[in-house]
Amino acid sequence: MCLQVKSQRDESWVTLQGKLAKRLGEDSFMFRDFTGEIMVEIDDESWVGQEISPNDTVRISGEVDQDWSDVKVDVSSLSKVGGMPVNLGDFSVK
């Protein structure tokens, strides 16, 4: 899927499943799935209190952000695959 994302139009909505392989900066990570790697940006509010390690499989959704030289995904939602729900008061999200 990472390879397919690189050919998507700017601002396309995508969902990927894989691992956050490496931290590149404060909000920037290298995301890896079975097709390759792509840079993703994850703002603080997308974490919703989750602790995620490079060993955890995650599902991310967000917008493709293309500029002249690279492609990245601005992540809007992030969740562990198969993880325990995160308690957000009256409801939970996986």
Side-chain angles (χ1 to χ4, degrees):
M1 294 299 293
C2 286
L3 290 179
Q4 291 174 336
V5 169
K6 293 178 181 181
S7 65
Q8 297 293 312
R9 292 183 315 189
D10 191 37
E11 298 183 6
S12 297
W13 189 262
V14 296
T15 299
L16 301 169
Q17 187 169 306
K19 298 184 183 289
L20 296 175
K22 182 178 180 183
R23 185 176 210 136
L24 303 173
E26 185 175 331
D27 295 335
S28 299
F29 296 83
M30 186 59 64
F31 179 85
R32 180 179 298 141
D33 70 8
F34 66 95
T35 68
E37 296 180 331
I38 192 165
M39 190 172 85
V40 299
E41 287 200 8
I42 307 171
D43 294 330
D44 289 342
E45 60 270 5
S46 297
W47 290 98
V48 290
Q50 300 175 93
E51 291 187 23
I52 295 174
S53 78
N55 296 323
D56 294 321
T57 300
V58 296
R59 182 174 297 119
I60 61 172
S61 295
E63 278 190 357
V64 175
D65 183 10
Q66 289 194 9
D67 64 21
W68 296 106
S69 62
D70 66 344
V71 178
K72 65 183 176 185
V73 176
D74 289 328
V75 175
S76 294
S77 68
L78 164 76
S79 61
K80 282 186 188 181
V81 175
M84 295 299 294
V86 175
N87 186 354
L88 296 177
D90 294 331
F91 62 95
S92 324
V93 268
K94 281 192 171 190

